Amino acid sequence: MNALGLAILALALGHVFSNAVRTLPAMAADVLQRDLGVTADGLAALTGAFPAAFALAMLPVGVALDRYGVKPTALALLAIAAVGSLFGAVATGPWSMLLAQVVLGIGCSGMLMCPVTYAAKNLPPQKFGLWGGVIQAFGNTGMLLSASPLALLVEASGWRAGYVACALLAVGAATAVFVLVREARAPVQARRSVAEDARDVIRLGLSRDIRGPVVIAFASFAAVLGVRGLWGGPWLMEVKHLARVPAGNILLMCTLALIAGPAIAGILERRFQAHRRALLVGGHLGAALMVALMVAGGSLGWPVMADAVLLVAFGLMISLQVICFALVRAAVPPERVGRALSAMNVSFFGGAAVLQAASGAAAAWGGVGAALLVFAAALVICSLAFLRLPGPR
C-alpha cells in the first residue's frame, strides 16, 4: 500500500475508536443502568448526548478541515476523545456520564470526516467512492471491539475497563496520524471569518445540490447507532433471553456485515454510478424491513437464529449509506468538500440524537421492540422524502 493509503487508514483509526466507544453501551446497558442509577430510557437519553454534541461540533469541524487542514484537526479531536474516554471510565452517576458523552461526542465529531476529507482532496473522483467504502469498512471494525470482546471484558473487569481501552486506542490513533499523515499547509482563507465559514456549512446543507443526501442521512446513521449501538443488546438479552456473551456473538455477526457492507457498497457505487440513488433508497428500505421483521419475530416466537440473519441483512443493506458521501463529493468543488461533508454529517448525527431520544420515549411506553420500530419508521420516511427531492444540477 502506498503512503497515501496508509495515511488514510491512519486517519480512519479515529473512526475505529469512534465506533467502539459509541457502541459500548449496547453490551453493558444493564450494568451501566445499575451503577449509574438510571433506567433504560434514562440511559438512552444520556448516550443521546453523544450524537447531539457530535452534530453541534460538526460546524466548527467542517470549517477547521478546510481552514487549518486535516492533520491538526484530527490530532486535536483525538486528544479530546481520549479525555472523554477517561471521563467515562471514572463516571459515578448520570451527570458525570453526561459530561463524558458530551466530550466524547465533540472529540469523535471529525473521526469519519478527517479520512473522508483527506481522501476527497487527494484522490480523483472516480476512486473516491471505493475509498469511501474502505474507510467506512475499516472504521466499522471498531464495533468488533464492542461486541464479544467487550462482553468478555465487562464480565471480567467491568464496563469501566472498556472506556480505558478506548482511551488507549485514541492515543494509538493519534500517534499513527502524527507519523504517517503528510499534508501541505492549508491555504490562507481570503478574508473570511470563521463565522462566515460556519454559515457556509449551513448554506451547503440546505442547498439543492446536497439536500437529498442530507435528508436520508437523518435516519441512516441513527439506525446503525440505535440497532447495533444501543438497543440490539437489550433486545437479545431481555426479549430473547440470551446471556451477555452469546448476545455479543450475534452482535459480532452484525458488525462483520457492517464491515463488509461498506466495501461492497463502494464497489457497487463505482460500477452502477447511474443508479446510485436507487441503490441508496433500496438499501435503506431493506434495512427498515429487516428491523420490522425482527420485532415481529419477537411476538411470533421466532428462534434466535432468525434475529442473527436479520441483523446481518440489516448491516449489509444499511451500509449503502456510503453512497451519500459519493453524492456529496460529486456535487461540490474540492475546496468546499470538507464543509459539504460536514454539513451532511450534521444530519447524520443530529438525526441520531433526535431519534435516539425518541426511541428512549418509545421504550418507556412499549419496550425495546417499540424503540427499534422508531428507526424502521424513520428510514422509510426519509427514504421516501429523498425520492421526492431532485438530484444535484
Side-chain angles (χ1 to χ4, degrees):
M1 183 176 291
N2 60 23
L4 177 58
L6 288 174
I8 292 172
L9 292 182
L11 288 163
L13 282 172
H15 191 36
V16 174
F17 163 86
S18 181
N19 274 311
V21 78
R22 67 179 168 230
T23 55
L24 191 156
M27 287 313 305
D30 55 338
V31 288
L32 278 168
Q33 291 171 39
R34 181 196 66 203
D35 292 350
L36 298 177
V38 296
T39 59
D41 54 317
L43 181 62
L46 283 177
T47 55
F50 178 105
F54 191 116
L56 291 173
M58 281 312 306
L59 287 176
V61 166
V63 172
L65 286 170
D66 286 338
R67 180 178 281 262
Y68 304 113
V70 173
K71 184 174 181 176
T73 302
L75 290 174
L77 291 172
L78 285 164
I80 294 170
V83 171
S85 292
L86 294 178
F87 282 172
V90 299
T92 56
W95 290 108
S96 51
M97 180 55 78
L98 178 65
L99 173 63
Q101 292 297 314
V102 169
V103 175
L104 281 169
I106 294 170
C108 290
S109 59
M111 297 307 192
L112 176 57
M113 286 302 95
C114 285
V116 168
T117 302
Y118 190 81
K121 291 184 175 182
N122 290 280
L123 290 171
Q126 62 270 24
K127 290 186 177 180
F128 176 73
L130 179 61
W131 267 97
V134 170
I135 291 167
Q136 190 82 303
F138 183 68
N140 284 351
T141 61
M143 284 186 268
L144 288 174
L145 303 176
S146 64
S148 302
L150 179 65
L152 293 169
L153 184 61
V154 169
E155 291 289 335
S157 304
W159 57 268
R160 298 181 191 278
Y163 281 108
V164 173
C166 287
L168 295 174
L169 178 57
V171 172
T175 303
V177 168
F178 182 80
V179 172
L180 295 174
V181 177
R182 297 286 180 266
E183 186 178 37
R185 184 180 297 274
V188 177
Q189 300 292 317
R191 300 296 181 184
R192 287 172 59 92
S193 69
V194 173
E196 287 175 321
D197 281 338
R199 285 195 293 270
D200 193 34
V201 174
I202 297 172
R203 283 194 296 267
L204 279 168
L206 298 175
S207 69
R208 170 197 168 104
D209 288 342
I210 69 170
R211 193 181 303 153
V214 165
V215 166
I216 200 169
F218 187 84
S220 185
F221 185 72
V224 176
L225 191 60
V227 174
R228 170 58 187 88
L230 181 60
W231 297 111
W235 171 264
L236 293 170
M237 288 187 283
E238 296 174 17
V239 179
K240 307 301 282 192
H241 306 297
L242 291 182
R244 191 183 315 279
V245 173
N249 291 336
I250 290 181
L251 290 180
L252 178 62
M253 295 169 65
C254 178
T255 303
L256 292 173
L258 287 167
I259 292 170
I264 296 170
I267 294 171
L268 291 174
E269 186 276 333
R270 190 174 183 181
R271 183 167 297 181
F272 302 106
Q273 287 196 10
H275 304 287
R276 289 186 295 194
R277 287 170 61 88
L279 286 171
L280 185 61
V281 170
H284 283 65
L285 291 178
L289 178 62
M290 296 305 105
V291 175
L293 287 174
M294 188 169 71
V295 175
S299 301
L300 298 173
W302 290 0
V304 171
M305 187 52 62
D307 296 75
V309 171
L310 291 169
L311 283 169
V312 168
F314 166 83
L316 291 172
M317 292 179 180
I318 199 65
S319 294
L320 286 158
Q321 65 189 205
V322 300
I323 293 175
C324 288
F325 297 106
L327 291 173
V328 171
R329 171 63 185 89
V332 297
E335 65 271 14
R336 301 182 80 195
V337 72
R339 279 166 283 183
L341 289 170
S342 296
M344 188 187 69
N345 228 27
V346 170
S347 182
F348 260 122
F349 284 86
V354 171
L355 294 176
Q356 191 154 311
S359 74
W365 169 73
V368 179
L372 289 168
L373 287 177
V374 167
F375 300 102
L379 285 170
V380 172
I381 293 168
C382 290
S383 296
L384 296 179
F386 174 83
L387 285 175
R388 294 185 61 86
L389 291 170
R393 295 183 183 89

